[in-house]
Amino acid sequence: MILPRRYHPGALDMREEQIVLETDRYRIVGKLTLPSEGYRSRLSDYANQRDREFFAVSDAVVTPLDGPEEIRRASFLMVGRVHVRLIALAAEESFG
């Protein structure tokens, strides 16, 4: 008897990167899960995938660009690729 294989998230070699993402209306700071190495491990490669319609952001802090006092938090957020105007690794960029 062959038992079905179980999904083991630890088997995938992934990493979380802190990112800054902006749409026309919001700045979103959160974590994006990327491959640890190899194909599409760079943020630019990941973001430029033609088949990617959404970015899954965890531990997100959402700030309206026109009202920075209205900060919202979300443990998980899907952001439509067509709405993204800027995306960068938070550790490499200085925004403010």
Side-chain angles (χ1 to χ4, degrees):
M1 175 181 198
I2 298 176
L3 296 175
R5 293 180 124 183
R6 291 193 174 264
Y7 172 72
H8 296 286
L12 300 175
D13 199 14
M14 306 296 274
R15 73 182 195 283
E16 285 188 328
E17 286 286 348
Q18 189 78 16
I19 56 112
V20 174
L21 182 147
E22 285 189 6
T23 68
D24 287 338
R25 298 177 59 191
Y26 300 101
R27 173 176 289 153
I28 301 166
V29 178
K31 296 177 186 173
L32 190 66
T33 302
L34 300 170
S36 288
E37 57 186 45
Y39 185 58
R40 295 181 177 165
S41 63
R42 295 183 308 176
L43 179 60
S44 59
D45 294 336
Y46 185 86
N48 284 320
Q49 293 177 43
R50 298 255 183 236
D51 59 342
R52 180 165 309 284
E53 293 186 42
F54 293 91
F55 294 101
V57 181
S58 59
D59 299 328
V61 176
V62 181
T63 308
L65 294 175
D66 62 352
E69 64 280 349
E70 300 175 27
I71 295 173
R72 294 173 47 193
R73 297 181 189 281
S75 60
F76 181 78
L77 189 65
M78 298 287 290
V79 181
R81 174 189 166 130
V82 297
H83 299 289
V84 175
R85 302 293 177 236
L86 174 148
I87 188 168
L89 294 173
E92 295 180 359
E93 297 297 328
S94 175
F95 296 94

